[in-house]
Amino acid sequence: MSELEPTPSERRVDAVLGLLRRAAAITGGVALVVIVAAMGWQVFGRYVLNATPTWAEALAILLISFITFLLTAVGVAERTHLSVDFVREAMPTPIARALAIVRDLLILGFGAVMAVQAYQLVQFNWRRNLPLLDIPEGVRAIPPTICGVLMVVFAAVLVWRQLRSRPVPPLQAPEAPTGEGD
Amino acid sequence: AQAEWRGWNIHVPEYSVSQGMDWFTDELAARTDGRLTARTFHSGVLGSQPDAIEQLRLGGIDFAVFNLGPMGPVVPETNVVSLPFVFRDLEHSHRAMDGALGEALAEAMAREGLKALAWYDSGSRSFYNSQRPINTPADLRGMKVRVMNNDLFVGMIEALGGNATPMAFSEVYQSLRTGVVDGAENNFPSFQSTGHFEVAGYYSISEHLIIPECLCMNLRRWNSLSAEDQALVLELAQASAVMQRELWAESDAAAMEAVIAAGVRINEVEDKAAFQAAMSPVYEMAFQRNPELEPLVELIQSIE
Amino acid sequence: MELAVLLGLFAFCVLIGVPVAFALGISAVVVFWLEGLPLMIAFQRILSGVSVFSLLAIPFFIFAGELMLHGGIAQRLVRLAAAAVGHVRGGLGTVNVFSSMLFGGISGSAVADTSALGSLLIPVMKKRGYDADYAVNVTVTSSVAGILIPPSHNMILYAVAAGGGVSISKLFLAGVVPGILMCACLALAAYLVAIKRGYPKEAFPGWTALGVAFVTAVPGLVTAVIIVGGVLSGVFTVTESGAIGCIYALLVTTLVYRSLSWQDFTLAVARAVRTTALVMILVGCATAFAFLLALYRVPEQLTVFLFAISDNPIVILLLLNLMLLVLGMIMDMAALILICTPIFLPVAVSLGMDPIQFGMIMMMNLGLGLTTPPVGACLFVGCAIGKTKMEQVIKTIWPFYLAIFAALMLTTYVPAISLTLPNAFIR
Ligand code: NA
Ligand code: NA
């Protein structure tokens, strides 16, 4: 089926997905650089300034959940999460195809529950502040909320395309160049 | 709803708090002929304390013993016991917690869905370090001291002229050994069981923090009990606290003897007033953030 | 009953290809619901699982490894290995093992090791007349060294899964000897197979060339010194050492080697955050799963069960090894560390085994699993780089499995191999 050309509307959907994916990945990348800098600053502060910045650790732990959850959703679109596929692929084609759809529906459902429950955690913990950072504790649960929503979007497109036997958007993770060694 | 109550506890089963909780659950089953049964999951296997507070409020677990330190973000009033030097000594804290202060804190906790049943002990925390005995605030100047993740404790060290270093508890031993930090603060049993006494040879009894623990229940679960059951639960909880405090005192004395035998030099801080005087910016910061603390401090000071 | 649902649903999800992390999460959420537990708590567990301070080191080690690869440090390490040991029979096989040992001291993961060194060495080996299956065999199995030789993000996962009572610094030190032992066994296997197949040896380039190769590799090697030395001397915590390692690698590759372009940098960041998320979401979902395992007292039950089979420690250790081996064949390493540690560690401890030694056994065992079919991340990557079929590689890989297995048995039954170094340096 993959030789089918995507329709213009499918192309538009893919473009939007690509944009979402890139926004999430860039946010995560910036967060990683900030965390490295913050921990470096912590060491500098302790030895050179003789004043340990107390916010660095707390900030780093908050940002790591942004990286984790945003890129988890990206991993759904790019299908890079670790999975065991040989059993399903060994089944007769119609069964394998049905199970692949069941798989993506389960991911979609999990994303939906995550979005709702994580949003409730945001509300539940909004009134109190994180120790050492003057922001609401509820902020911690924002990344899984976004992750849940994105997972629903990405998985829904995957399911929809498979049901209609349409080509699945080829969203690839960046590859390292496997050049010849010297 | 499940038949058996689930309990959370951070300590290992041999610890005084764990023994108090186990006694409480055993007696509860015995006195009700197995009608009310409960099981405590020790060693923090169900999560950290902030997580467990959330779980108790949501009803995922039914009872727990919490240290009031990490309770502060949820119930601001409980921050009063995290103020350095707020209690004169352990006996003073007992009189306050078993009296008017305990009632005031229980009322505040009830607003967040927590029913306070009894107050356990976690002793008093003092400074220890690898450099020198601490007698005056000046002895702390420039010292890198590990504190728990709390603005008040960071503020306390800074007010005393030290370099406050919040750090995960698991990192402290190695950091003391290698000089990433010079000192930390805790009670005798923790000082001993963590092995910190091997790498920090000076323990100065400052008793700057006396933070009680609370045996508490999910409020909805409590409200679902009959009046007789409530009376029984309360009676057993308070009896378990009496027992736990005795066990604590024993372990405290034993730990002190053990570290002395290991060569730790212990000194009593004679002039606590000098430390207390330095705390006014910490108290001001706390009052600014939680105005409800001011009358509570006055209440504590009025207790003999 | 709920426990059966938990395990059954998890197995079903994994077998139809739901990513392992979500399989853990889905089965946990369903059982939370069956138990009448608030679902918010399941997600609180997932969120708290990733918000652990010591886990911060994981993205740092991954990022440092990516910077090394894209910034030219890995290439210089391979050149050093080639100059040093390339002149034995089948020299590039030995070079491959030796490179893994060096690179393992920087990268925290075996898969990174396979893809970094594999893409450098496999094409060269093929060009010099080595068979593709041999090149892949050596690359894939020796990459397990990356897990044992510090730093290692899998050891951090183990320390976290063990409940925080196990020192990461101690684990790091403990991995050195088993890691070198395993590499020695693999080098021997590589040598013997090379003789049998009549592979060539490289000319010894001379001491000057070796010296030059060493000097150019030094700035890269210093990364390992900073990370491991910083932790041991206590100048940094493990987490800080990871961040300092990244900053140092960034400085070396941009200022000294001048081989890291802006594109290389963004690629390194992009790949690092992706790998981080894959590992961390597993940690999070496994935390929710482990909450239920604790609630159903699975660790206690397994201990009772195993001791009912036998009370001979040698037999029980062999059983644990077998279970880990079988699980390792079908599942990914990180997930297994997170699931199995809380269950198996109490058994090992009740046999009087040091948690540090058990950690080494777990690393080797699950590391071996990364190189076996049907699910072996290193094997997949290695075959893809070597452009060979897995069936072909598997036929000739057994001498290398045997080498790892020999190292595993020695580590299991000789505690001194893991414990001498950490006990000498740390309390
Ligand atoms: Na490594
Ligand atoms: Na495998």
Side-chain angles (χ1 to χ4, degrees):
Chain A
M1 298 293 156
S2 55
E3 66 271 20
L4 287 179
E5 280 294 307
T7 64
S9 67
E10 281 172 349
R11 274 187 221 279
R12 274 197 295 278
V13 170
D14 289 350
V16 172
L17 291 189
L19 215 63
L20 283 176
R21 196 173 59 102
R22 198 158 311 140
I26 290 174
T27 311
V30 170
L32 177 64
V33 174
V34 170
I35 294 177
V36 171
M39 295 312 291
W41 178 250
Q42 174 168 301
V43 174
F44 185 80
R46 185 169 64 236
Y47 287 110
V48 184
L49 309 178
N50 207 27
T52 310
T54 53
W55 49 265
E57 269 188 36
L59 178 72
I61 288 176
L62 180 66
L63 289 182
I64 194 75
S65 78
F66 274 86
I67 297 178
T68 302
F69 288 101
L70 291 177
L71 272 299
T72 289
V74 172
V76 169
E78 292 172 354
R79 287 220 193 279
T80 47
H81 285 284
L82 302 160
S83 59
V84 178
D85 295 306
F86 70 96
V87 179
R88 191 191 63 249
E89 282 162 5
M91 304 260 183
T93 315
I95 297 177
R97 205 177 275 173
L99 286 179
I101 293 172
V102 171
R103 168 198 62 188
D104 290 329
L105 284 173
L106 282 168
I107 296 173
L108 190 154
F110 184 63
V113 179
M114 187 191 291
V116 172
Q117 298 296 329
Y119 183 63
Q120 288 184 11
L121 273 177
V122 174
Q123 292 175 312
F124 189 74
N125 288 325
W126 197 258
R127 279 190 306 116
R128 58 201 174 96
N129 276 2
L130 275 172
L132 305 179
L133 291 178
D134 257 341
I135 54 169
E137 166 97 34
V139 171
R140 282 182 61 209
I142 290 178
T145 311
I146 301 173
C147 174
V149 173
L150 288 178
M151 276 173 72
V152 169
V153 173
F154 292 145
V157 174
L158 292 174
V159 169
W160 179 243
R161 296 277 166 87
Q162 287 173 91
L163 281 174
R164 301 187 51 206
S165 296
R166 298 295 301 169
V168 171
L171 295 174
Q172 298 259 304
E175 287 277 344
T178 49
E180 303 279 286
D182 54 355
Chain B
Q2 89 286 1
E4 193 176 59
W5 296 359
R6 299 186 190 105
W8 175 93
N9 170 33
I10 196 82
H11 303 289
V12 293
E14 300 77 31
Y15 203 74
S16 61
V17 170
S18 319
Q19 290 177 344
M21 291 180 83
D22 286 342
W23 183 88
F24 168 70
T25 54
D26 289 347
E27 283 295 301
L28 190 64
R31 292 277 292 272
T32 59
D33 292 322
R35 193 165 46 77
L36 295 179
T37 57
R39 174 179 255 180
T40 304
F41 292 84
H42 298 299
S43 309
V45 290
L46 300 183
S48 68
Q49 174 158 328
D51 291 341
I53 294 175
E54 204 166 284
Q55 290 172 16
L56 189 67
R57 293 172 65 207
L58 290 168
I61 54 176
D62 305 289
F63 66 103
V65 169
F66 293 133
N67 185 278
L68 289 184
M71 184 69 85
V74 182
V75 185
E77 285 84 349
T78 57
N79 276 321
V80 75
V81 297
S82 293
L83 289 170
F85 300 103
V86 77
F87 294 119
R88 288 191 285 279
D89 50 37
L90 203 56
E91 285 70 38
H92 183 216
S93 82
H94 289 164
R95 288 193 297 278
M97 295 310 295
D98 296 338
L101 178 67
E103 278 166 33
L105 296 185
E107 204 175 293
M109 287 168 66
R111 284 200 296 274
E112 298 295 338
L114 303 164
K115 169 66 190 173
L117 299 172
W119 309 102
Y120 280 22
D121 255 354
S122 71
S124 52
R125 299 171 73 99
S126 294
F127 294 114
Y128 54 85
N129 73 89
S130 56
Q131 308 291 316
R132 52 183 170 264
I134 290 166
N135 281 302
T136 67
D139 295 326
L140 272 165
R141 189 152 303 145
M143 207 179 259
K144 295 192 284 281
V145 183
R146 182 266 172 181
V147 290
M148 296 181 281
N149 269 355
N150 182 321
D151 301 303
L152 290 176
F153 309 151
V154 172
M156 167 181 76
I157 297 296
E158 281 168 0
L160 294 169
N163 180 357
T165 311
M167 173 183 287
F169 191 56
S170 55
E171 309 254 18
V172 178
Y173 180 91
Q174 186 71 354
S175 301
L176 278 169
R177 193 178 74 88
T178 52
V180 170
V181 294
D182 305 309
E185 44 88 58
N186 216 320
N187 50 49
F188 272 118
S190 299
F191 180 57
Q192 188 213 2
S193 66
T194 52
H196 292 180
F197 69 97
E198 297 166 10
V199 283
Y202 299 96
Y203 191 99
S204 308
I205 301 177
S206 52
E207 298 187 308
H208 53 274
L209 284 173
I210 297 174
I211 307 181
E213 314 219 329
C214 178
L215 172 58
C216 45
M217 264 187 86
N218 174 286
L219 187 62
R220 269 169 292 151
R221 169 75 68 193
W222 167 260
N223 287 334
S224 73
L225 297 176
S226 68
E228 299 84 69
D229 282 348
Q230 286 185 346
L232 177 68
V233 166
L234 203 60
E235 180 202 323
L236 293 176
Q238 288 175 354
S240 77
V242 172
M243 180 188 134
Q244 188 272 339
R245 285 176 183 178
E246 278 167 19
L247 288 173
W248 176 267
E250 284 168 23
S251 66
D252 194 55
M256 184 166 96
E257 271 174 42
V259 297
I260 290 175
V264 172
R265 290 211 258 154
I266 295 178
N267 69 295
E268 188 94 37
V269 174
E270 298 293 344
D271 185 17
K272 277 197 207 171
F275 288 83
Q276 267 157 335
M279 288 303 108
S280 52
V282 181
Y283 277 55
E284 264 164 45
M285 178 176 85
F287 293 163
Q288 210 166 24
R289 205 174 302 162
N290 306 126
E292 57 273 54
L293 294 185
E294 203 159 357
L296 289 173
V297 170
E298 282 163 18
L299 175 68
I300 292 174
Q301 284 165 351
S302 74
I303 294 169
E304 274 313 300
Chain C
M1 176 56 210
E2 280 86 357
L3 180 61
V5 174
L6 182 73
L7 299 177
L9 194 55
F10 172 67
F12 170 77
C13 287
V14 167
L15 290 179
I16 68 165
V18 175
V20 178
F22 302 144
L24 288 166
I26 290 166
S27 51
V29 164
V30 168
V31 173
F32 265 80
W33 177 72
L34 286 177
E35 273 284 352
L37 284 162
L39 293 190
M40 272 160 88
I41 294 179
F43 290 91
Q44 176 214 62
R45 298 320 305 135
I46 294 176
L47 188 52
S48 294
V50 306
S51 310
V52 175
F53 179 71
S54 26
L55 290 176
L56 275 174
I58 292 178
F60 296 154
F61 293 145
I62 292 173
F63 189 32
E66 292 289 346
L67 287 171
M68 304 258 121
L69 176 61
H70 300 296
I73 293 180
Q75 286 85 332
R76 284 163 178 84
L77 294 180
V78 169
R79 234 177 272 156
L80 170 62
V85 294
H87 54 283
V88 298
R89 174 69 57 193
L92 287 184
T94 317
V95 167
N96 196 321
V97 175
F98 193 57
S99 304
S100 281
M101 232 167 79
L102 293 179
F103 192 71
I106 296 161
S107 138
S109 96
V111 183
D113 222 311
T114 308
S115 66
L117 297 176
S119 57
L120 293 176
L121 278 168
I122 293 175
V124 179
M125 288 176 78
K126 280 162 78 174
K127 217 181 284 171
R128 297 280 168 92
Y130 291 76
D131 297 303
D133 61 331
Y134 177 82
V136 173
N137 285 341
V138 177
T139 305
V140 164
T141 49
S142 64
S143 71
V144 177
I147 299 166
L148 288 164
I149 295 179
S152 158
H153 74 242
N154 285 301
M155 286 192 195
I156 297 175
L157 290 183
Y158 172 75
V160 169
V166 181
S167 148
I168 295 173
S169 315
K170 265 187 143 176
L171 281 171
F172 276 13
L173 260 188
V176 174
V177 177
I180 293 175
L181 174 71
M182 202 189 77
C183 285
C185 294
L186 284 169
L188 182 67
Y191 176 70
L192 293 177
V193 175
I195 287 183
K196 188 155 170 282
R197 295 198 186 177
Y199 288 144
K201 50 182 168 186
E202 310 294 308
F204 181 60
W207 289 102
T208 325
L210 178 57
V212 170
F214 179 73
V215 170
T216 48
V218 159
L221 285 171
V222 168
T223 318
V225 176
I226 288 183
I227 292 178
V228 179
V231 172
L232 293 185
S233 66
V235 177
F236 319 125
T237 63
V238 174
T239 310
E240 289 168 349
S241 81
I244 299 296
C246 290
I247 293 172
Y248 175 81
L250 206 53
L251 292 178
V252 167
T253 51
T254 52
L255 301 181
V256 181
Y257 292 159
R258 295 167 181 272
S259 49
L260 187 83
S261 66
W262 174 249
Q263 272 92 345
D264 292 332
F265 174 73
T266 54
L267 184 64
V269 172
R271 288 170 50 90
V273 288
R274 278 170 172 78
T275 311
T276 300
L278 300 190
V279 176
M280 296 293 282
I281 194 66
L282 262 174
V283 178
C285 292
T287 309
F289 196 83
F291 179 92
L292 295 169
L293 292 180
L295 211 59
Y296 300 133
R297 308 198 167 245
V298 173
E300 291 91 329
Q301 286 179 25
L302 181 80
T303 310
V304 172
F305 173 75
L306 280 178
F307 280 96
I309 294 178
S310 165
D311 50 9
N312 183 341
I314 296 179
V315 175
I316 294 187
L317 283 177
L318 204 61
L319 277 176
L320 285 182
N321 266 321
L322 277 177
M323 281 195 271
L324 284 170
L325 268 176
V326 172
L327 288 170
M329 286 172 73
I330 52 173
M331 247 174 88
D332 180 67
M333 178 159 192
L336 284 174
I337 292 175
L338 294 159
I339 300 166
C340 292
T341 304
I343 305 178
F344 287 6
L345 180 59
V347 179
V349 168
S350 66
L351 291 175
M353 182 176 271
D354 192 307
I356 301 281
Q357 188 196 354
F358 187 68
M360 295 308 119
I361 294 174
M362 198 128 162
M363 294 302 126
M364 275 197 175
N365 225 319
L366 300 180
L368 184 55
L370 290 174
T371 69
T372 64
V375 180
C378 289
L379 187 64
F380 294 168
V381 173
C383 290
I385 296 172
K387 302 188 178 72
T388 49
K389 285 239 156 50
M390 206 165 82
E391 299 86 86
Q392 212 176 335
V393 169
I394 290 310
K395 266 181 218 147
T396 54
I397 202 171
W398 61 267
F400 300 94
Y401 286 161
L402 221 55
I404 298 184
F405 192 74
L408 172 62
M409 285 298 115
L410 281 170
T411 309
T412 304
Y413 293 109
V414 186
I417 292 174
S418 339
L419 298 179
T420 307
L421 215 47
N423 288 345
F425 279 91
I426 304 174
R427 181 168 82 107

